Amino acid sequence: MKEMKKHAVFVDGAITPGFVSEALQKHSVNKNIGAHSLFLGQVRNDVINGQKVAAIEYTAYNEMAEEKFQEIREAAFENFDLICMHIYHSLGKVNAGEISLFVFTSSTHRKEAIRACEYIVERIKKEAPVWGKEIFLNNEYQWKKNTD
Amino acid sequence: MKEMKKHAVFVDGAITPGFVSEALQKHSVNKNIGAHSLFLGQVRNDVINGQKVAAIEYTAYNEMAEEKFQEIREAAFENFDLICMHIYHSLGKVNAGEISLFVFTSSTHRKEAIRACEYIVERIKKEAPVWGKEIFLNNEYQWKKNTD
Amino acid sequence: MNVNVLVFGQIADITGKESLSITGVASTDELVQLLQQKYSGLKELKYLVAVNKKIIQQSTELKDNDTVALLPPFSGG
Amino acid sequence: MNVNVLVFGQIADITGKESLSITGVASTDELVQLLQQKYSGLKELKYLVAVNKKIIQQSTELKDNDTVALLPPFSGG
């Protein structure tokens, strides 16, 4: 039986720049990596109907999301020549200007890393059962809509 | 006369994970950014004719390279809907496992950031007058060849 | 027979809670009809239905203790 | 008339120095011929020629104090 390594994806609150640099630092020991591609989603303070977004509060169908992230992970390794990859997504409140999604792919060559990263980001946006509640400065809210 | 802002690209030695996190941190104040795309080139310890690469030593035709980076920068802003972009490239010795190129694009939406980042990386590889000398563990060397 | 129903996002706003326990429905179509009677706001919303974490495209028979989730459009990232 | 010649990478390995001062050449073709006589290893190398930081595709007339660079294939990043 193939053992499935567990990969934690959900992070409580914002993903910090320090978290990103630690992730990078860990990969310096893997000296057959030639290219890293990183995507970071940052919360915007959009103005919607005159109200400014102060934060997004993320919730998820955790068990289903974890299975989906695992499925995306396996598909990425199957479709691209990757050495490693990581997905981190916030749950809970993330303020405007903070980071809520971090996708990190590493490969021997740049094109595989870049394409895999984009592939993973697109699948997460379309397929991961995660919802963002846009909380305005006046404490009202609306449910976020993802653009294509 | 249009004033041209100077953008330092060359960095002495390796680009550290801490440098990357500081760059990210600085962009948290820009709250109309929704997506960052980062490319990081890492030096591989390739084995070539039985010899393992220990480091790459980078040299450049600095004045021409700076003009080329500025040209790529302007073309990126013209072709993509970017909020900001940064290029950092090492000069001097960078050990295997360390980072020698850092391209950083930020946009409102993910697709523009991702595509601009790839565009910039490809142009740097093809057009920037920079040379890497692969130094082997036994102190012999050869001049690096970029793959397509 | 009992099924667990999980709701998320704006659907949870309508139901006022994130999970419901429903008895006496044999299929997802029956379940959705029952929920629409109970929560009329549900009719105006777009959502996918998942049974035991798998998204279904057409009405699916339900077994005791199945988990059905109503998933409004995803907006992660 | 004097031109400054800059060489890089494996070309600097052949010349043993990174810059040369050359007099009495009127065009880039003349300059390259002179350098190939002086450094025969140059004939086996691929390189581009830049005059005052602009890459040229064909022989170009040189003026006093122009800077000509011989650029082997780039390998940055």
Side-chain angles (χ1 to χ4, degrees):
Chain A
M1 200 180 100
K2 193 182 161 199
E3 202 186 328
M4 198 65 83
K5 202 175 151 196
K6 255 286 187 190
H7 296 272
V9 167
F10 287 121
V11 170
D12 195 27
I15 294 158
T16 64
F19 184 91
V20 175
S21 67
E22 277 169 37
L24 263 179
Q25 184 63 60
K26 283 179 194 156
H27 289 75
S28 66
V29 297
N30 195 334
K31 296 179 183 176
N32 56 342
I33 292 174
H36 303 290
S37 183
L38 282 69
F39 177 84
L40 297 151
Q42 184 168 301
V43 172
R44 295 194 309 267
N45 66 350
D46 285 352
V47 175
I48 303 168
N49 299 328
Q51 292 298 327
K52 189 174 269 193
V53 172
I56 296 182
E57 195 175 295
Y58 289 98
T59 50
Y61 182 3
N62 291 43
E63 298 81 0
M64 184 178 160
E66 277 162 19
E67 284 188 12
K68 181 56 73 176
F69 289 131
Q70 183 61 30
E71 179 192 324
I72 294 171
R73 181 179 177 78
E74 286 168 19
F77 273 107
E78 211 165 287
N79 287 303
F80 303 94
D81 187 17
L82 290 181
I83 293 170
C84 56
M85 63 150 287
H86 305 275
I87 303 170
Y88 301 101
H89 197 300
S90 294
L91 286 184
K93 195 170 161 188
V94 180
N95 294 315
E98 293 183 326
I99 292 162
S100 60
L101 173 63
F102 172 24
V103 176
F104 184 7
T105 55
S106 306
S107 176
T108 309
H109 295 293
R110 65 188 183 278
K111 284 180 186 174
E112 294 293 300
I114 290 170
R115 279 163 204 176
C117 190
E118 182 171 17
Y119 169 88
I120 293 161
V121 171
E122 292 302 320
R123 285 201 60 180
I124 290 169
K125 292 268 182 182
K126 284 193 187 66
E127 301 176 39
V130 178
W131 297 272
K133 181 194 253 188
E134 293 171 319
I135 301 167
F136 298 107
L137 283 176
N138 66 359
N139 282 317
E140 289 179 10
Y141 71 88
Q142 74 166 23
W143 291 95
K144 182 172 173 254
K145 288 180 186 67
N146 275 359
T147 54
D148 279 336
Chain B
M1 198 179 101
K2 191 184 158 196
E3 202 186 329
M4 197 65 85
K5 201 172 149 197
K6 256 287 189 189
H7 295 273
V9 167
F10 287 122
V11 171
D12 195 28
I15 294 158
T16 63
F19 184 90
V20 175
S21 66
E22 277 169 39
L24 262 180
Q25 183 64 59
K26 283 177 195 156
H27 289 75
S28 65
V29 296
N30 196 333
K31 296 179 185 178
N32 56 342
I33 292 174
H36 303 290
S37 184
L38 282 69
F39 178 84
L40 298 151
Q42 184 167 302
V43 172
R44 293 194 309 267
N45 65 351
D46 285 353
V47 175
I48 302 166
N49 299 327
Q51 291 297 329
K52 189 174 269 194
V53 173
I56 295 182
E57 196 175 294
Y58 289 97
T59 50
Y61 183 2
N62 292 41
E63 298 82 359
M64 183 178 161
E66 277 163 19
E67 284 189 11
K68 181 54 76 177
F69 289 130
Q70 185 60 30
E71 180 191 323
I72 294 172
R73 181 180 178 78
E74 286 168 18
F77 274 107
E78 212 164 288
N79 287 301
F80 303 94
D81 186 17
L82 289 181
I83 293 170
C84 57
M85 62 149 288
H86 305 275
I87 303 171
Y88 301 102
H89 197 301
S90 295
L91 286 184
K93 196 170 160 188
V94 180
N95 293 316
E98 293 182 327
I99 292 162
S100 59
L101 173 62
F102 173 24
V103 176
F104 183 8
T105 55
S106 306
S107 176
T108 309
H109 295 293
R110 66 188 183 276
K111 284 181 186 170
E112 294 294 299
I114 290 171
R115 276 161 205 176
C117 190
E118 181 170 18
Y119 169 88
I120 294 161
V121 171
E122 293 302 320
R123 286 200 60 178
I124 291 170
K125 293 267 181 183
K126 285 192 186 66
E127 301 175 40
V130 178
W131 297 273
K133 182 194 251 188
E134 292 170 319
I135 300 166
F136 298 107
L137 283 176
N138 67 358
N139 281 318
E140 290 179 8
Y141 71 87
Q142 74 166 21
W143 291 95
K144 182 172 173 256
K145 288 179 186 70
N146 274 0
T147 54
D148 279 336
Chain C
M1 199 190 79
N2 184 66
V3 296
N4 311 303
V5 180
L6 303 176
V7 294
F8 298 91
Q10 51 269 63
I11 301 180
D13 283 354
I14 288 174
T15 59
K17 43 192 166 182
E18 292 172 355
S19 68
L20 310 161
S21 188
I22 302 284
T23 51
V25 289
S27 70
T28 53
D29 271 5
E30 277 185 40
L31 174 65
V32 166
Q33 274 169 27
L34 189 100
L35 292 171
Q36 287 187 349
Q37 277 165 19
K38 204 164 169 183
Y39 307 104
S40 61
L42 200 54
K43 287 178 201 163
E44 289 143 41
L45 294 179
K46 270 183 60 178
Y47 54 88
L48 297 171
V49 177
V51 177
N52 300 329
K53 297 181 276 179
K54 300 295 169 205
I55 289 168
I56 57 160
Q57 306 298 338
Q58 51 192 36
S59 187
T60 298
E61 211 172 297
L62 294 172
K63 303 182 304 296
D64 191 39
N65 221 24
D66 274 351
T67 296
V68 180
L70 304 194
L71 311 171
F74 306 147
S75 55
Chain D
M1 199 193 78
N2 184 66
V3 296
N4 312 303
V5 180
L6 303 177
V7 294
F8 298 91
Q10 51 270 64
I11 301 179
D13 284 352
I14 288 173
T15 60
K17 43 192 166 182
E18 292 173 356
S19 68
L20 310 161
S21 188
I22 303 283
T23 51
V25 289
S27 70
T28 53
D29 271 5
E30 277 184 41
L31 173 66
V32 166
Q33 274 169 27
L34 188 101
L35 291 172
Q36 287 186 350
Q37 277 165 21
K38 203 166 172 184
Y39 307 103
S40 60
L42 199 54
K43 289 178 200 162
E44 290 143 43
L45 293 180
K46 271 182 61 178
Y47 52 88
L48 297 171
V49 177
V51 176
N52 301 330
K53 297 179 277 179
K54 300 294 170 207
I55 289 168
I56 56 160
Q57 307 297 338
Q58 50 192 36
S59 188
T60 298
E61 212 171 296
L62 293 172
K63 303 181 303 297
D64 191 38
N65 220 24
D66 274 351
T67 296
V68 180
L70 305 192
L71 312 170
F74 306 146
S75 55

